[in-house]
Amino acid sequence: MKETLQKVAATLKSLQAPYALIGGFALMARGIVRATKDVDFLIDFPLHEAASLTQSLRANGLDAVFRKGGAEDPIVGIIRVTLPTSTDPIQCDILFPSRAWQAEAVRNANPVKLEGFDVPVVRADDLFLLKLYAGGPQDLMDAANLYELQSGEERRAWKERAAKIGRSKMFARCLTFLPIRD
């Protein structure tokens, strides 16, 4: 995984595409142990530039394919980078923001040392919102695990932010994964 993180992160940096780690590795950076087989980045980059970014990734030796999200998909666009390994290939998904707060999450990311090098990782509160926005069962469980680590004051702030982005129902669903509900 270290090589995957380094190679994709270095390429995005060289292309001046602001990025931050999200997904399972971001959860680990925020104190939650979770098995994951892929690497996920969110970029602050316009969707209309996806084709040129995909070409640039390919020019940098990465097997990259762009896919536009569907109308009901919370992902407006994704570049999937596949990196061969001696066993199974590793997938790296580079997601485009669909909302202004998602792009802001990239800009607010903090560098965290992972696998021996610094990588920008979205803050815990932004990761929580991203998980609510994705809305799948594993995402809601991840959101609940993040929420559980917070103080009462932080929990209230997170609940307000979830309501502000229209995710009150997902917030309530995520709470069902907690042993003791607020």
Side-chain angles (χ1 to χ4, degrees), residues 129 147 151-163:
L129 293 179
Y147 185 78
S151 69
E153 185 177 323
E154 289 168 320
R155 287 180 180 194
R156 284 186 290 282
W158 287 21
K159 182 178 181 179
E160 288 174 16
R161 283 191 71 200

Side-chain angles (χ1 to χ4, degrees), residues 27 32 34 127-148 162 167-178:
L27 285 165
I32 295 173
R34 177 160 146 340
L127 184 56
F128 175 76
L129 293 179
L130 289 166
K131 291 293 188 175
L132 290 183
Y133 192 77
Q138 182 64 57
D139 298 305
L140 296 177
M141 188 179 303
D142 292 340
N145 288 330
L146 281 167
Y147 185 78
E148 191 172 32
R167 290 295 184 244
S168 293
K169 285 184 183 179
M170 287 297 148
F171 176 82
R173 285 185 55 205
C174 110
L175 294 183
T176 65
F177 289 98
L178 292 174

